[in-house]
Amino acid sequence: MSVPGTIDSNSNSSLFLSLPDDVFAMVSRFLLPRDVCSLSLCCRSLYALAACEKVWLTQCDMVGIVPHKDLVDWRTGVSSYKAICRFLLNIKPLIGIWVHQNPELGNLVYVMPGFVSVVGCRIIPQELGPMGIHDGPILWAPVFEIIGDFDGSPTFFLHGREKGLDYICHGSFKSINKSCNVLLLEVEPREKCIGNRENSRLQGVVGNNNKAMVPFGRLSLSDRKKLLEFTTRHVRQLVPNMAMGPLFPRLRDGYENFQKELVLLRGRREILSQMYRLDHSQVHNIENSEEAVGPKQLEQDDRRKSIECSRALTILLDGEGSDTQYNKRKNGVKFWGSLKQMLGGSSSNNGRHEKKHVRLEEFLGSNDTIMLTLKASTVKLSAYRAWPNMPESWFALYKMPLQDPTEDQVYAGLWGGTFGWPPGKPSEDKPGKALFFLLLSYEESHGQQLLIATKILEGTHYVLHPNGSAMFIVNINEPSSEPFPWNSDADSYPINIKHSFTGEGIANGYGFRYPGSKPGSLFEFQDGVLAFIWKDSRSVLTLQRLNLQQLLKKGERVPCLPPITNFSCLTKSYSNVFTGFPDAYTSSSSPRLP
């Protein structure tokens, strides 16, 4: 349609198509990825323009997860920048801090970019190292990875360690939305997929006889646990030495060192992809495991996206050990007998649970395969202050909303520190300071702006207060008149107080679950360090702002737990369950609080 006073549409289109790639890439910064895709549907000329690599590199930059220089490195492992953009849009909601109530010392998993992947890293409760927070290595263990395939589609890997050996468990990754706040580890039944891509997609939505799939959460806790254990035990694969390399690039300390690390990252990713594909060739009885793994195979149909246990079930029917070679005989009819024998019967058979829980027979239906699934969901959860109220029976991780610092909320974000003055590195006479991670957030209450410091990790030997407790709450609208008790810092330099606020700090209350509070003050120094001081006892908690991604890139990897427990620990614990290494990493004593 022509508009009066303008050039006609054909001339306008020609002018548009005559734009250089660099200029159109700049214009595309004002477009969403779906807008670029819609543009490509208009005509062949616009299709070629919208498919330009520079346009999709710009779109990747706009997602804001991976730096531009890393995107260029990622491009060597995928078909196009468009594939990278597809992957980034899928996993963007996962980036950030995820937690669980158990153990009470803290269960903090930080999801960050890897190499054409995202990695879930658990921060281990620990002491402050001899080099301090920012310079010393932080201890972490892998929980899961989501790797982008050649076409940008995601592949899920759950990490685990048993009997001194490292394993990965393959699984599918359910598509997510921007507001997801819960990551669920589940098992999903599927019918054997032999048809085309469209049929295999339908199998994930509709089971046999067109019956709707029963949610995994409808099973009893006992049945869910047994089914997860059964699935992970039969899909796990031993991690070869060649795949034991880095999960994400470390800090760039030189071009040559970084290029060597990039080679390791590429090699590891290729090995994992190959393990995933070859494992599926055996499960599906596809006799092409000797074929070379290349880009075309990475774009195969969705059958390779399901982790199936039909081989394991056949072995069980034959009464043989788990190391027996795969028997090609199909036993879908006898599926129930073997699985039910393996699980020891469904705990939902009791009449008391018929209404609340479904039976295993109803969940699995007539499907003959099951797969491990990472499902990102949006669930309405209540919260107390900044901490979500978490269901105790879900194998899940819960996302913590992370407020970005603004002009009105300058202290929002992740902070870390220790008890005692002066702050910083532990000394010879006072070694073993427990490291605390606090999430600072703002909340309006009765017309006042409150700053809440939520504890999400503590490195003590035995926890003092519940996970998610508010270590202190201060009123930003009420300055403190209390003086700071010390005149100098660790280097004997004078203390310069920038701001101070009145508040209350955590204290012993009515048992463990219901802590009390006592008056105190929050001080901000000129160098940005925060210190909360309890008025009566003069106990002091000093904090520094943290960049968790940077800390992990120079951190130290430690062994993880068995797969299911590694994802989420449902057992109540008040000590450090994540330590599979010397106790020296954890504090032998807890700080003394009011």
Side-chain angles (χ1 to χ4, degrees):
M1 178 183 297
S2 61
V3 179
T6 64
I7 57 177
D8 58 47
S9 58
N10 291 331
S11 300
N12 196 21
S13 176
S14 299
L15 179 62
F16 191 60
L17 292 171
S18 66
L19 291 175
D21 291 347
D22 293 335
V23 176
F24 183 68
M26 294 177 63
V27 173
S28 69
R29 297 182 68 89
F30 300 95
L31 301 176
L32 296 174
R34 64 170 179 265
D35 298 328
V36 179
C37 291
S38 298
L39 191 64
S40 67
L41 300 177
C42 295
C43 64
R44 292 182 179 179
S45 299
L46 287 177
Y47 175 83
L49 186 62
C52 174
E53 284 281 82
K54 292 180 180 179
V55 171
W56 286 104
L57 176 57
T58 299
Q59 291 296 315
C60 292
D61 278 329
M62 296 299 293
V63 177
I65 299 176
V66 180
H68 180 90
K69 55 186 177 182
D70 290 344
L71 289 172
V72 177
D73 295 328
W74 282 29
R75 176 62 181 84
T76 60
V78 295
S79 60
S80 64
Y81 282 117
K82 185 177 181 179
I84 295 178
C85 189
R86 180 187 301 119
F87 176 72
L88 291 177
L89 292 173
N90 267 326
I91 54 84
K92 182 177 181 179
L94 302 184
I95 302 296
I97 296 174
W98 299 78
V99 297
H100 195 279
Q101 184 67 49
N102 297 315
E104 296 290 353
L105 276 174
N107 190 341
L108 166 58
V109 176
Y110 184 70
V111 179
M112 59 181 283
F115 177 73
V116 198
S117 66
V118 290
V119 185
C121 306
R122 171 168 288 110
I123 311 300
I124 305 298
Q126 58 199 277
E127 291 180 356
L128 181 66
M131 300 176 64
I133 298 179
H134 292 292
D135 297 326
I138 193 170
L139 304 176
W140 64 276
V143 179
F144 66 86
E145 290 179 85
I146 299 176
I147 295 178
D149 282 350
F150 189 74
D151 62 353
S153 56
T155 302
F156 168 61
F157 294 91
L158 176 65
H159 284 260
R161 183 179 177 87
E162 294 183 288
K163 297 180 179 180
L165 300 175
D166 290 311
Y167 294 93
I168 53 171
C169 303
H170 308 144
S172 69
F173 175 61
K174 305 287 283 188
S175 59
I176 57 178
N177 57 53
K178 295 180 180 179
S179 60
C180 69
N181 61 346
V182 179
L183 277 179
L184 295 163
L185 187 64
E186 297 186 344
V187 171
E188 183 178 287
R190 281 196 179 183
E191 195 176 10
K192 197 74 166 180
C193 298
I194 306 179
N196 57 24
R197 175 186 291 267
E198 185 63 27
N199 286 337
S200 76
R201 283 178 180 169
L202 291 174
Q203 298 299 342
V205 179
V206 182
N208 280 353
N209 303 323
N210 296 322
K211 292 183 179 180
M213 293 181 62
V214 178
F216 182 71
R218 293 285 307 278
L219 292 171
S220 68
L221 174 59
S222 175
D223 285 346
R224 280 184 281 124
K225 183 178 180 181
K226 289 178 180 179
L227 201 53
L228 281 169
E229 289 175 344
F230 173 81
T231 306
T232 55
R233 185 162 58 250
H234 290 287
V235 303
R236 72 182 186 182
Q237 286 187 299
L238 187 65
V239 180
N241 291 333
M242 294 182 64
M244 293 295 290
L247 277 65
F248 46 80
R250 299 178 69 83
L251 293 177
R252 298 185 183 229
D253 58 354
Y255 178 80
E256 185 176 343
N257 289 337
F258 182 76
Q259 290 301 314
K260 291 180 180 179
E261 189 172 65
L262 202 58
V263 171
L264 296 176
L265 289 166
R266 289 173 184 151
R268 180 181 180 277
R269 177 173 172 269
E270 291 175 2
I271 291 172
L272 291 182
S273 297
Q274 192 172 27
M275 289 172 60
Y276 186 37
R277 294 170 47 71
L278 294 180
D279 178 68
H280 273 69
S281 296
Q282 294 173 347
V283 170
H284 284 284
N285 191 25
I286 299 174
E287 298 178 356
N288 62 353
S289 59
E290 296 181 359
E291 294 181 4
V293 178
K296 289 185 178 180
Q297 287 183 298
L298 289 173
E299 295 178 295
Q300 297 275 326
D301 60 57
D302 289 344
R303 283 180 295 174
R304 63 185 174 86
K305 295 298 179 190
S306 63
I307 302 295
E308 300 181 342
C309 293
S310 54
R311 175 178 58 174
L313 295 171
T314 303
I315 293 172
L316 287 173
L317 286 171
D318 294 338
E320 298 176 353
S322 59
D323 295 329
T324 307
Q325 294 295 320
Y326 172 51
N327 189 324
K328 297 182 181 179
R329 180 171 59 89
K330 300 294 184 292
N331 290 286
V333 176
K334 296 183 180 180
F335 174 94
W336 267 112
S338 62
L339 182 58
K340 198 168 183 179
Q341 181 180 1
M342 179 66 192
L343 299 178
S346 173
S347 63
S348 302
N349 294 340
N350 193 315
R352 296 179 303 168
H353 303 291
E354 287 184 358
K355 293 183 179 180
K356 185 176 180 181
H357 303 300
V358 299
R359 297 161 58 95
L360 277 172
E361 290 90 339
E362 184 179 348
F363 172 72
L364 291 172
S366 55
N367 299 287
D368 57 2
T369 62
I370 53 179
M371 67 177 182
L372 190 67
T373 301
L374 180 66
K375 181 179 178 182
S377 302
T378 302
V379 179
K380 187 176 181 180
L381 298 172
S382 60
Y384 179 67
R385 295 196 175 112
W387 188 254
N389 294 318
M390 308 174 193
E392 296 183 354
S393 61
W394 291 5
F395 293 92
L397 293 170
Y398 303 85
K399 192 167 190 179
M400 286 294 292
L402 183 60
Q403 297 178 0
D404 294 323
T406 63
E407 185 178 350
D408 297 330
Q409 300 180 352
V410 294
Y411 305 120
L414 180 67
W415 296 72
T418 59
F419 276 86
W421 186 267
K425 303 173 184 177
S427 58
E428 294 182 0
D429 57 331
K430 293 183 179 180
K433 288 186 177 182
L435 181 59
F436 283 75
F437 280 15
L438 307 182
L439 203 59
L440 270 58
S441 59
Y442 287 79
E443 182 178 300
E444 294 287 336
S445 179
H446 304 290
Q448 300 295 313
Q449 191 176 37
L450 303 181
L451 178 64
I452 303 174
T454 304
K455 185 202 78 173
I456 58 176
L457 193 75
E458 71 172 86
T460 56
H461 178 70
Y462 193 84
V463 67
L464 287 177
H465 298 294
N467 193 14
S469 298
M471 293 299 290
F472 59 81
I473 301 176
V474 298
N475 188 343
I476 298 299
N477 303 119
E478 186 177 347
S480 174
S481 59
E482 293 292 327
F484 191 72
W486 294 275
N487 297 320
S488 60
D489 60 14
D491 299 318
S492 300
Y493 290 114
I495 297 295
N496 295 314
I497 303 297
K498 186 176 179 180
H499 297 291
S500 62
F501 309 97
T502 299
E504 292 184 337
I506 197 168
N508 294 326
Y510 299 98
F512 173 79
R513 188 57 58 186
Y514 304 101
S517 61
K518 289 188 177 182
S521 299
L522 178 68
F523 296 87
E524 180 192 5
F525 306 138
Q526 290 291 343
D527 59 0
V529 173
L530 299 180
F532 186 87
I533 299 181
W534 281 258
K535 181 179 179 179
D536 295 336
S537 66
R538 299 208 339 175
S539 296
V540 56
L541 174 62
T542 57
L543 301 172
Q544 303 176 54
R545 190 180 289 277
L546 300 180
N547 184 325
L548 206 46
Q549 183 169 330
Q550 295 299 311
L551 291 178
L552 285 167
K553 285 190 174 185
K554 55 185 177 183
E556 179 182 340
R557 178 176 171 179
V558 297
C560 59
L561 298 178
I564 300 175
T565 308
N566 192 39
F567 186 83
S568 60
C569 178
L570 301 190
T571 304
K572 285 287 184 183
S573 176
Y574 304 96
S575 59
N576 193 349
V577 303
F578 301 118
T579 51
F581 37 91
D583 291 337
Y585 290 122
T586 56
S587 178
S588 58
S589 61
S590 300
R592 185 176 180 181
L593 290 178

